Amino acid sequence: MAISTKPGNSVKIAETKETIPLAVTATVPVGDNPTDIALNGATNRIYTTNNDDNTVSVIGGRLRKVIATVKVGKGPVAIGLNPLTNRGYVANLDGTVSVFNGATNRVIATLKAGGLPGDVIIHARANRIYVPNQGSDSVTVINGQTNKAIKTIKVGDAPSVGAVNPHTGRIYVLNQQSSSVTVINGRTLAVAATIPVGSTPLAIAVNRVTNQVYVTTFNNNNGVVFVIDGATDAVIDTVLIGGENDSIAVNEKTGRVYAANQSGDNVTVLDGEAMAAIASVEVGAGPIYTMVDEARNMVYVVLFRADSGGSLVRIDGKSNKVEGAVAVGRGAIKAVVHPLGHRIYVLNQEDNTVTAVKS
């Protein structure tokens, strides 16, 4: 069996009697030009930032339809959720962050950030939010209890995305134009280190168990994963994986790392302990985003097609083989997985929809 991802390009699926097929259960219209998606597993609600109409769509996971629309700032591009407080934080291109209450779906504060905020990093237990400002080379720190910006931290050039290790309280921010990673001490809010990496760092993943950080870079058509020791803030290894790597994910239970190679039409699997590539899984054209369901040891890959429908591909984390695929909407760019309900929600930017998939 094969499911086509574009003319002349297909995904080969190894089927067994135990294989459960992926199935689309709903296609939910959201706002115009959705750019980001987030899931609150505790409330079973899904959120999309809609860049062109300045809103956030709230989808009820059980009903699989939009149950509320939240008006936020101008040009929302990214969203982060704190499930412990049921608060949402939206980075807007007008240089603000909108804070909304997940219970009432109402904005409760609008904070000033820096120029061109582009990501929202949530340290849930500390109840602090970090917003990289690409246009002002800084990170805005928000106190989630008071809903106030408490500090602006200067970092490298054009900070784009980041991640947090909640076990160590360290925050990692990628600086695209200065080819570095800024490490912030979450307790003191001071820069603890600036780590040089390769050109154009694109994506980051943290293994809290091993305290290792994985950063993908792209230069001269060569993709490289830099492995950082979280205890020493030193690069301890590099792994050449090829292709443009826009997404990376880690399974903390198995220690394996998955990098989506958009230009190579594959996903590279790394052994986190050996720090070596152990497999290259062909998934079809345009893999743009990858994520892990640790409970089932499954990896899901979003294939981007702007001119036709995208796809969601499932990889068995044990065998490193594709075992399922399903067509989704045009311009699929990102997804979230609810491991308890075994559902995946795919954001389709060109269609202005979210595809709900049962796995």
Side-chain angles (χ1 to χ4, degrees):
M1 167 181 181
I3 294 179
S4 175
T5 55
K6 79 173 201 178
N9 208 325
S10 62
V11 176
K12 294 181 180 180
I13 301 173
E15 286 195 350
T16 68
K17 291 182 179 180
E18 293 78 20
T19 298
I20 300 173
L22 297 170
V24 172
T25 59
T27 300
V28 184
V30 293
D32 291 340
N33 190 24
T35 55
D36 199 10
I37 187 169
L39 165 75
N40 187 332
T43 62
N44 196 19
R45 289 185 175 182
I46 302 94
Y47 302 83
T48 69
T49 52
N50 308 311
N51 187 261
D52 287 354
D53 60 11
N54 307 324
T55 64
V56 169
S57 294
V58 186
I59 300 172
R62 183 177 62 85
L63 299 173
R64 293 191 291 282
K65 67 178 183 180
V66 172
I67 59 174
T69 300
V70 184
K71 192 74 174 177
V72 292
K74 186 175 181 180
V77 291
I79 184 170
L81 305 173
N82 187 337
L84 301 181
T85 62
N86 198 13
R87 297 287 186 268
Y89 302 85
V90 180
N92 307 302
L93 290 179
D94 62 6
T96 64
V97 175
S98 301
V99 185
F100 67 88
N101 184 325
T104 63
N105 297 313
R106 294 180 181 273
V107 171
I108 56 177
T110 301
L111 314 176
K112 184 174 177 56
L116 298 178
D119 193 18
V120 179
I121 307 163
I122 304 290
H123 189 177
R125 290 184 180 178
N127 201 10
R128 282 183 175 172
I129 301 89
Y130 299 82
V131 180
N133 304 302
Q134 194 163 7
S136 55
D137 302 335
S138 65
V139 172
T140 300
V141 185
I142 298 169
N143 183 320
Q145 184 174 1
T146 63
N147 291 323
K148 292 183 178 180
I150 57 175
K151 190 167 185 178
T152 299
I153 303 171
K154 294 298 291 183
V155 293
D157 295 341
S160 55
V161 298
V164 60
N165 185 336
H167 290 181
T168 64
R170 294 210 163 192
I171 296 87
Y172 301 88
V173 179
L174 304 190
N175 306 305
Q176 285 197 341
Q177 293 183 9
S178 56
S179 303
S180 64
V181 177
T182 297
V183 184
I184 298 171
N185 184 317
R187 183 177 59 83
T188 64
L189 300 182
V191 172
T194 300
I195 307 169
V197 292
S199 298
T200 318
L202 295 173
I204 183 171
V206 174
N207 188 328
R208 299 169 297 175
V209 176
T210 62
N211 196 15
Q212 289 183 347
V213 182
Y214 302 90
V215 176
T216 67
T217 64
F218 182 68
N219 185 32
N220 295 327
N221 296 321
N222 288 319
V224 178
V225 173
F226 282 72
V227 185
I228 298 170
D229 186 332
T232 64
D233 296 323
V235 174
I236 56 177
D237 211 338
T238 58
V239 183
L240 181 66
I241 55 177
E244 182 177 356
N245 315 109
D246 292 317
S247 177
I248 191 167
V250 61
N251 186 328
E252 293 179 335
K253 289 185 177 180
T254 65
R256 290 186 175 182
V257 183
Y258 303 88
N261 306 320
Q262 189 173 3
S263 56
D265 299 343
N266 60 58
V267 171
T268 300
V269 184
L270 306 179
D271 183 315
E273 184 177 355
M275 298 181 196
I278 58 174
S280 178
V281 185
E282 299 295 326
V283 293
I288 192 172
Y289 192 76
T290 182
M291 57 189 169
V292 171
D293 182 348
E294 291 187 350
R296 303 176 74 191
N297 195 14
M298 295 292 179
V299 183
Y300 297 94
V301 185
V302 175
L303 306 186
F304 174 83
R305 304 301 310 160
D307 54 348
S308 60
S311 299
L312 179 71
V313 176
R314 181 177 62 200
I315 300 172
D316 185 302
K318 184 177 180 180
S319 66
N320 293 322
K321 292 182 178 180
V322 171
E323 66 158 34
V326 68
V328 293
R330 291 186 306 123
I333 56 171
K334 194 175 180 181
V336 291
V337 59
H338 196 319
L340 296 181
H342 307 313
R343 293 189 185 275
I344 302 94
Y345 300 89
V346 183
L347 183 65
N348 308 305
Q349 191 169 40
E350 298 295 324
D351 281 348
N352 299 329
T353 62
V354 169
T355 303
V357 179
K358 178 71 173 178
S359 176

